[in-house]
Amino acid sequence: MGSLPDVPIVHNIPVESSGGHRKPNHLNLRTSFSSASNGRVPRVRSDRRRMGSEGKTAPPKVVCGDAGYVLEDVPHLADYLRHLPTYPNPLQNNPAYSVVKQYFVNADDTVAQKIVVHKDSPRGTHFRRAGPRQRVYFESDEVHACIVTCGGLCPGLNTVIREIVCGLYDMYGVRKIIGIDGGYRGFYSCNTIDLTPKSVNDIHKRGGTILGTSRGGHDTSKIVDSIEDRGVNQVYIIGGDGTQKGASVIFEEIQRRGLKVAVAGIPKTIDNDIVVIDKSFGFDTAVEEAQRAINAAHVEAESVENGIGVVKLMGRNSGFISMYATLASRDVDCCLIPESPFHMEGKGGLLAFIERRLKENGHMVIVVAEGAGQELITESMRSVEHQDASGNKLLLDVGLWLSHKIKDHFARNQKMSINLKYIDPTYMIRAVPSNASDNVYCTLLAHSALHGTMAGYTGFTVGPVNGRHAYIPFHRITEKQNKVVITDRMWARLLSSTNQPSFISQKDIEDAKKEDEPPTQLLDKENNHGVGVDFDTSAN
Ligand code: F6P
């Protein structure tokens, strides 16, 4: 790295350069034309895809290589701005990092989406590996970064903010960083918050977000006007799938206007419902904090005759928090999640199971994810669907509904009187600071994001894929949601630990099979959501 030229070099191809000339492509990528002197140009498939509500299109950068290798690449400033100068990465002179062997990521490094494969199956989809590059596209004093948090709260938001600020400051010598106040709509108000390592020093110990947040409020052209007017050239957007869709549209508008502004998304959802990445930040903390509510429910239930503790946990469409909290606790007798429809009455129904478990044990604990059983409630209440400002369906309180149903049932059944306590810790869980493991994870996410923008990548989101951090195109994480697969081994583990009825009908099994990907590869890691990234659902 010491031999790199110090003068700016021109980078006008959408592939990484190193040291001022095109590196030979070690991936042996197939080419579409051979006119480029010695180097081979990778075949870039440009199947245009609709992006955003305004019907604009952005060509995903897809590069195909040998043996079914596919790189789903992310955009780069050099894709639409020709002749941008680059500079040596200041990390070369940073005493903390310069001693690290192989600190800079190799230009050809990519991360495989699937790691368990048949011996003859294609190499499959890959993403560009995250991390610092030898050359950067911004000089330190040129950078004006902004950070915005959107959507519901989640443990770790403050840590991500802190680590973007400290990372930009300490690693890249950036001095101009502002926070946007109160989500997307904060872009078009006058208030911004100056962020320095000093002002963010302790914020990781607090829950919530020091920047404030909101749902909705996304007016693309007003936001990009504001970015332009303020002279911001790096935008860090922390939020869920709706927010990342918004980030994608902002990137497209920036590209359309030809601005040298890099946009990075950091995916946030306490529900862990984001596909492709191993898990979302705050999820570990939520599972851990849920233990306190489950413990309380268990203590209450076992202290009285026929005690029932009902605990509602977050999980609008995906029951990961409930599933992992149940597996971790071992005190839960029944876990209800949105992916597994259940029924109350009759043989095999929930009420019959409760009666049986009370007779056997004298008490029980039920964990229910907020999105579970919504069709049952809607049926019994004939309610009308409403949405929040993010466009999410407003949920009816399944915990309250379930508690009433159980109480009613046993009030009618004279033979057994019960004592039910309902605990709803959802907002308490969401508001806690992130735990130690999430703090480290948030640091890596923040670092991946800022290394990416400094290296000129844009229109990307970050996250670990099979334990390695990668740059992922926005559309890959927003086109569908991550769900618990009830025909997978993890849910089977849960059923075997609680001994609850599976409620799975033959039709559910058929439907789940239909949703499965073609069997080109053995295990889809998209349901591999261990609290540690090396948790292998295929094992055992
Ligand atoms: O998406 C995160 C989440 O916490 C969900 O679990 C929950 O359904 C929703 O947000 C609640 O959002 P609100 O802040 O609007 O109540």
Side-chain angles (χ1 to χ4, degrees), residues 151-154 215 240 268-271 273 313-317 321 370 388-390 392-395 426-427 430:
L153 293 183
C154 176
R215 292 193 184 276
K268 175 234 62 167
T269 149
I270 198 169
D271 296 349
D273 56 11
L313 295 177
M314 287 208 146
R316 180 188 288 280
N317 301 310
I321 297 178
E370 62 180 337
D388 70 13
S390 301
N392 301 313
K393 186 177 143 196
L394 278 182
L395 300 176
T426 45
Y427 290 107
R430 227 170 58 158

Side-chain angles (χ1 to χ4, degrees), residues 262-333:
V263 180
I266 294 105
K268 175 234 62 167
T269 149
I270 198 169
D271 296 349
N272 198 32
D273 56 11
I274 294 189
V275 284
V276 181
I277 63 171
D278 294 338
K279 65 174 171 176
S280 51
F281 74 82
F283 172 68
D284 266 9
T285 307
V287 171
E288 194 173 301
E289 195 62 19
Q291 302 303 301
R292 296 184 344 122
I294 295 173
N295 277 344
H298 186 236
V299 170
E300 286 286 346
E302 70 173 354
S303 308
V304 293
E305 199 186 339
N306 290 333
I308 302 177
V310 175
V311 179
K312 184 176 81 171
L313 295 177
M314 287 208 146
R316 180 188 288 280
N317 301 310
S318 307
F320 287 106
I321 297 178
S322 297
M323 176 166 80
Y324 278 91
T326 297
L327 276 165
S329 151
R330 306 282 164 182
D331 280 336
V332 179
D333 295 88

Side-chain angles (χ1 to χ4, degrees), residues 444-479:
L444 296 185
L445 288 171
H447 285 187
S448 296
L450 60 92
H451 287 315
T453 52
M454 288 301 297
Y457 290 107
T458 180
F460 68 90
T461 196
V462 292
V465 179
N466 297 311
R468 293 294 183 157
H469 281 250
Y471 298 138
I472 306 161
F474 280 128
H475 70 89
R476 281 305 307 269
I477 65 150
T478 57
E479 61 199 4

